[in-house]
Amino acid sequence: MEYGNSTENGIGKSNGIGNGHGIGNGYVNGHGICNGHGNGHGIGNGHGNDNGYVNGNGKVNGEKMKKMKPMDSEMLREQGHIMVDFIADYYKNLEDSPQDFPVLSQVQPGYLRDILPDSAPDHPEPLKELLHDVSKKIIPGLTHWQSPSYFAYYASSTSVAGFLGEMLNAGLSVVGFTWLTSPAATELEVIVLDWLAKLLQLPDHFLSTGRGGGVIQGTGCEAVLVVVLAARDRIMKKAGKNSLSQLVVYASDQTHSSFRKACLIGGIHEENIRLLKTDSSTNYGMPPKSLEEAISSDLAKGFIPFFICATVGTTSSAAVDPLVPLGKIAKSYGIWMHVDAAYAGNACICPEFRKHIDGVENADSFNINAHKWLFANQTCSPLWVKDRYSLIDALKTNPEYLEYKVSKRDEVVNYKDWQISLSRRFRSLKLWMVLRLYGAENLRNFIRDHVNLAKHFEDYVAQDAHFEVVTTRYFSLVCFRLAPVDGDEDKCNERNRELLATVNSTGKIFISHTALSGKFILRFAVGAPLTEEKHVTEAWRIIQKHATKFIHNKKF
Ligand SMILES: Cc1ncc(COP(=O)(O)O)c(C=O)c1O
C-alpha cells in the first residue's frame, strides 16, 4: 500500500495512476491518482489550510472548502480497504514478529499524554498519519490479547467471521430497540439464540417457542444484573414493597465480582449477600450442603432467600458449581437460580463438556460470553431466561414516542424491555456469521484444540517436580505454581509472585494469577485464536527458565 502526496500546507496532490478517489487531505490510497472517478469523491481540507479541497481530479484548488460528508461511500471503500489491510498486517505481525509485540504492554502510566497533543485538531488529518500514530503510539500501549502467546485471564477470542460481523454491524449501524426499528435485528437475534440454545442442548423452556427466550446482552455483568433485577421484582410482588432489606442472595466465594455489583445496584443490602466458602475438597465448587444450611438459617431469622448465582467455570480457577443439587434446592425453596457460564458455557457445545451444565433444567436463567470462547469478537453475551415475562415485567418502559402498531403484537419482541440500555448493537449478525461461516463442528474443534493445548501444558507442569498443578482441570485453564519447599507457604507465595512478574516482564508471554485458599496461584488459560502447540511449549520453556532462578536461590 502506498500513499500519495500530502503537502504540509494542504495543497494535496494525487500522483500515480489508477482509480483512486481523492480522500482526506490529498492522499490517495495505493497507486491511484484521483482521476475524477466521480466528482466529489475527493474530500480533503488541506492539512493546515482551511481553504483547500480536492476536486475529484485529485487537485486542490485552494479556494473553497468543500463540505465534508461524514459517510461517503467511496471514501469508506478506499479507507476501509486500508484499514482492513492494517488489521490483517497486525495479525500477521503478531505471528511472524512476536519480538515487536510484547504481549503485556511494557509502557508506564501516563505514557500517552506525553506523546499526544493537548487538544483535538481543528482540521482533518490524513488517515496515513493517524495509522502511523496507531503503530507508533497506540500499539506499544496495547496488551496483545490476540497474541498467540497470550495466556492470561480468559481469552477474548476473535475470528475472521466475528470481525466481519462486527464490521457489518458497524456499517449497517441500525438500532433495534423495538421490533419496528429493525425487524431483522430482532428476529435474527431470536432465531440465532434458539440455534445456540439447541447447540448447548438447553431445555426447551429457554427457547423462544415457549415462555422463555434469549437476548444478547453486552457483557456478562449486564446479564447477571438484569436477572437479579427480574428475580427481585418477582419476589417483591409476593413479599411486598417493603421487603427489600430482607432479601438474601447466595453464591460461592468464587463467583465473579459482577454478582456483588449487580446485587448492590439492585438495592440488595451488602450484608445480605452470602458468599459461601469453597475449598479444594470440592475443587472450589459450591457445596450444596452449605447452601441448604445457609438458606435454612436465613429463613429461621426471617430473611427471604430469592436468588442463587451458580457458576460453571469460575473466573479464578474454572471451578464448576454442581447444578443438579443446587437446582433441586433452588426449586424446593422457589428461589431463582442463575447459571453464569461466561467462559466454560461455550465449551458445552461439545457433547463431551455438556455434562458440566447438567442440571440447567432447574435454572431460571443462563448466560455465556460468546466473546470469550466462541470466536464472536467483543462483545456478545447471550442470556436465556425461562420466563421472558419476568424480565420484561422488571425492565419494561413505555414512552409514547416508542409506541407503534403492529398486526401481531403478541408475537413481537422488543428487546429494549430485556436489557438496561435502549440503544443496542445488532450483535446477532456477528453470532449468525460465526455459526454459518464456521459451522458447529469447526467451533467444537477450535474449543477442543484449546483444551488439548491446556492439557499439553498441564503435562509439562506435572512432569517437573519443582511445580505442581493445583486444581483439577476441566477446560482450557491450568492452575499451577512452583511447589512449596519444606511446607513454607509464605515463601512459596513470594516465589510465585516473583516468577509471575519476571515472566511477564519479558513480554514474550502473558499469564495471570489468582488466590485459592490463601495460595498465590498462576493461571495459564488457552483461548487466543492463533495459539498453537509451539507457543505453549515455548511458554513453558520461558516459565521453566525463569523459575530456575528461584529454585536455586536460597533467598526464595
Ligand atoms: C465467570 C464470569 N462471569 C462473568 C464475567 C464478566 O463478564 P464481562 O466481562 O463480559 O462483564 C466473567 C469475566 O471474566 C467471568 O469469568
Side-chain angles (χ1 to χ4, degrees), residues 328-550:
K328 280 186 189 148
I329 296 170
K331 200 170 178 190
S332 67
Y333 289 99
I335 300 174
W336 182 301
M337 182 166 89
H338 174 66
V339 178
D340 172 4
Y343 154 70
N346 295 289
C348 298
I349 63 168
C350 303
E352 66 271 33
F353 297 116
R354 173 57 178 77
K355 61 176 186 262
H356 294 295
I357 56 168
D358 281 355
V360 70
E361 303 73 43
N362 281 328
D364 293 274
S365 49
F366 174 84
N367 81 284
I368 65 170
N369 273 2
H371 58 261
K372 270 193 167 47
W373 206 12
L374 209 59
F375 307 89
N377 295 45
Q378 287 191 78
T379 60
C380 183
S381 295
L383 165 73
W384 290 268
V385 286
K386 189 173 175 177
D387 176 5
R388 58 181 173 268
Y389 298 100
S390 55
L391 206 52
I392 295 168
D393 285 351
L395 301 175
K396 190 170 177 154
T397 54
N398 273 325
E400 179 55 35
Y401 46 81
L402 295 183
E403 273 300 314
Y404 63 97
K405 284 202 173 11
V406 66
S407 52
K408 298 179 182 172
R409 177 96 218 175
D410 285 347
E411 289 173 26
V412 164
V413 169
N414 293 312
Y415 274 127
K416 72 179 176 59
D417 299 332
W418 299 48
Q419 63 174 34
I420 305 293
S421 53
L422 180 66
S423 297
R424 64 196 320 269
R425 294 166 59 84
F426 190 174
R427 291 189 173 93
S428 57
L429 203 50
K430 169 172 62 174
L431 205 48
W432 187 51
M433 287 179 65
V434 167
L435 294 172
R436 287 190 61 187
L437 295 181
Y438 297 123
E441 208 40 42
N442 269 320
L443 291 170
R444 290 188 188 106
N445 288 335
F446 296 160
I447 286 169
R448 285 174 182 137
D449 280 351
H450 287 162
V451 175
N452 287 335
L453 290 176
K455 161 111 183 51
H456 203 63
F457 183 83
E458 185 181 47
D459 290 344
Y460 281 134
V461 177
Q463 284 158 23
D464 186 328
H466 297 296
F467 283 86
E468 65 182 9
V469 174
V470 179
T471 55
T472 304
R473 182 189 52 76
Y474 304 128
F475 308 102
S476 68
L477 170 69
V478 182
C479 290
F480 71 109
R481 65 173 183 162
L482 268 169
V485 177
D486 300 330
D488 189 339
E489 285 292 340
D490 288 344
K491 219 172 207 178
C492 181
N493 286 346
E494 201 188 328
R495 294 163 90 209
N496 280 290
R497 206 182 288 275
E498 286 288 331
L499 176 59
L500 178 77
T502 311
V503 159
N504 286 340
S505 72
T506 65
K508 290 182 176 159
I509 61 170
F510 181 27
I511 59 174
S512 59
H513 77 280
T514 189
L516 292 171
S517 304
K519 295 174 186 165
F520 188 90
I521 306 295
L522 304 175
R523 294 172 78 265
F524 187 90
V526 183
L530 295 173
T531 304
E532 295 172 24
E533 191 176 321
K534 64 181 180 193
H535 302 111
V536 170
T537 303
E538 176 62 5
W540 173 244
R541 198 192 59 76
I542 292 167
I543 294 168
Q544 244 186 347
K545 177 178 151 205
H546 290 281
T548 48
K549 178 166 123 204
F550 303 103

Side-chain angles (χ1 to χ4, degrees), residues 154 219-221 256 258 311 313-315 340 342-343 369 371-372 381:
Y154 284 132
T219 63
C221 293
H256 191 266
S258 54
T311 308
T314 58
T315 316
D340 172 4
Y343 154 70
N369 273 2
H371 58 261
K372 270 193 167 47
S381 295

